[in-house]
Amino acid sequence: MTMPRIPLVEPGTRPELAETEARILAERGRISLLYQALLNSPPIAAGWERMLTAVRNQTGLPADLRELIILRVAVLNRASFEFHAHVPHARQAGVPEATIEAVRQQPLAELFGPRERLVLELTDAMTRDIEVPAALMARLQAEWDAQGVLELVATVAAYNMVSRLLVALDITH
């Protein structure tokens, strides 16, 4: 493991962070290296935890699709910490091992079903090209209502934020 580019805050060492650390522990079960870095800025750590909890645990997006998005973003952005952190979540959501490995492939493997492929096409467009082609958005809107489309887009956007922070700060396993 390389050393992150900023110091990590050891949990329990800063009393002013106790409430934020308690929320992180309640939602995540531990304070990962990512959150130890985020704790350098209490407002960022608190806001990050609330937003990512909403994205990951409070939307109507099926867990398997959410985890495929997260894994694909991690692959595209070369965020190994994010990928390895979410493999257990993908397994828990019922994503088969072959599908987890297929997320790494360029172009997308044939084993993905139509909904998975559509979600991964969105992930690739947002992560690689930033802009989502109108035809792709039309296909998404035919499959999901406005809330579903927003939650898909927000998930891709949020995990791009996560992976880019991890890569920029050199946070790895």
Side-chain angles (χ1 to χ4, degrees):
M1 178 176 94
T2 61
M3 291 301 297
R5 292 178 168 163
I6 61 173
L8 301 176
V9 175
E10 184 67 31
T13 61
R14 293 179 49 193
E16 70 275 16
L17 296 174
E19 186 178 319
T20 301
E21 289 179 5
R23 277 197 314 272
I24 295 166
L25 282 169
E27 286 297 331
R28 307 273 182 278
R30 66 188 182 99
I31 299 178
S32 70
L33 295 177
L34 168 62
Y35 279 95
Q36 288 177 44
L38 290 169
L39 287 168
N40 280 286
S41 173
I44 296 294
W48 188 287
E49 185 278 322
R50 284 190 300 272
M51 183 181 135
L52 270 291
T53 293
V55 168
R56 196 166 132 220
N57 299 330
Q58 298 170 354
T59 70
L61 186 60
D64 62 332
L65 293 179
R66 180 193 64 234
E67 294 304 324
L68 286 177
I69 289 170
I70 295 167
L71 293 174
R72 184 67 173 182
V73 166
V75 166
L76 295 174
N77 288 333
R78 298 177 304 279
S80 63
F81 181 92
E82 184 175 36
F83 187 88
H84 294 292
H86 278 271
V87 166
H89 298 292
R91 288 178 183 138
Q92 186 176 13
V95 178
E97 291 297 322
T99 304
I100 291 170
E101 285 307 310
V103 169
R104 297 177 188 262
Q105 296 178 11
Q106 305 286 344
L108 290 172
E110 292 300 317
L111 69 84
F112 293 108
R115 279 188 118 202
E116 294 170 330
R117 182 168 291 281
L118 184 57
V119 166
L120 293 171
E121 286 179 39
L122 172 69
T123 304
D124 285 11
M126 287 181 64
T127 304
R128 289 181 173 155
D129 306 324
I130 312 305
E131 295 179 12
V132 176
L136 174 55
M137 185 54 71
R139 290 172 41 222
L140 289 160
Q141 291 169 326
E143 184 74 25
W144 283 278
D145 63 10
Q147 179 179 342
V149 170
L150 174 68
E151 290 177 353
L152 285 166
V153 168
T155 301
V156 176
Y159 280 91
N160 265 287
M161 176 183 72
V162 172
S163 66
R164 289 167 191 218
L165 182 129
L166 289 165
V167 171
L169 295 179
D170 205 15
I171 298 172
T172 61
H173 280 294

